[in-house]
Amino acid sequence: MKTRIPVAVAACLLSLSTLTAQELKNTTWSSYGVSFRAPSDITVEDDSEEGYIVSNDTYYITVQLLDGEGFKRNELGDELKNIANDDQVSDQSAVQSFETPQFYGAQIEGNCEGEACLYSYLLSKDDSCGFYVSILYKQKGDTVPETILKSFKLED
């Protein structure tokens, strides 16, 4: 009997993580042709050349163009750390660099006025554009914000 309980718990956790992944849908900031996966119940709050903001009860996602910043790939982490410090993000993680098929990125997690947050800079590999991404979310340790971040792509 003892071995069945851990198996049942593991099965429940696996089904919850699968359910979360299935609840994500594609959304596109048409002004700049960038898309990403976001919760299926998001509401678009702003879709303009100034920014793209979507949210639901759990996530608040802001995307802005890095216009004229001229960042180089090796500067992303330092610049992101500066923004997090300016915004007084507490409990900051170390800056992590990552790569997707179309972007070089840097990310940092922390606490933004009582909510968990993930900040990121994305620089297109072809140097055509860059984006600042901010995701505020309810529960520290939530893996969905990183899934959202890693799903960014430029539309054809």
Side-chain angles (χ1 to χ4, degrees):
M1 182 81 167
K2 286 183 180 180
T3 59
R4 290 184 185 177
I5 292 174
V7 171
V9 170
C12 286
L13 290 174
L14 180 61
S15 68
L16 284 175
S17 66
T18 303
L19 179 61
T20 300
Q22 292 174 346
E23 292 176 2
L24 297 179
K25 70 173 186 177
N26 202 46
T27 186
T28 302
W29 184 16
S30 56
S31 294
Y32 295 100
V34 65
S35 67
F36 58 95
R37 311 270 304 150
S40 61
D41 64 342
I42 60 162
T43 301
V44 176
E45 295 186 22
D46 184 18
D47 184 357
S48 67
E49 289 187 12
E50 301 299 316
Y52 188 66
I53 300 172
V54 295
S55 68
N56 65 11
D57 291 340
T58 306
Y59 305 99
Y60 187 85
I61 305 165
T62 303
V63 184
Q64 295 174 319
L65 183 67
L66 289 177
D67 189 29
E69 302 294 335
F71 292 146
K72 303 293 180 217
R73 179 180 175 191
N74 63 347
E75 300 171 330
L76 291 178
D78 290 339
E79 295 297 332
L80 186 62
K81 183 83 169 159
N82 291 338
I83 291 293
N85 289 337
D86 287 348
D87 287 354
Q88 298 178 344
V89 174
S90 61
D91 300 326
Q92 291 180 21
S93 68
V95 174
Q96 296 177 342
S97 296
F98 65 92
E99 203 173 315
T100 70
Q102 292 182 313
F103 292 101
Y104 298 114
Q107 72 182 60
I108 192 168
E109 294 180 84
N111 187 310
C112 298
E113 298 180 13
E115 288 195 306
C117 58
L118 180 142
Y119 281 16
S120 181
Y121 278 153
L122 299 172
L123 184 62
S124 67
K125 288 183 175 178
D126 65 3
D127 288 328
S128 64
C129 58
F131 299 96
Y132 164 73
V133 180
S134 169
I135 305 173
L136 301 177
Y137 51 104
K138 301 290 183 195
Q139 190 171 32
K140 189 173 176 110
D142 185 346
T143 60
V144 172
E146 190 164 339
T147 301
I148 293 168
L149 180 60
K150 302 290 173 64
S151 71
F152 272 74
K153 65 180 182 177
L154 295 169
E155 297 293 309
D156 294 327

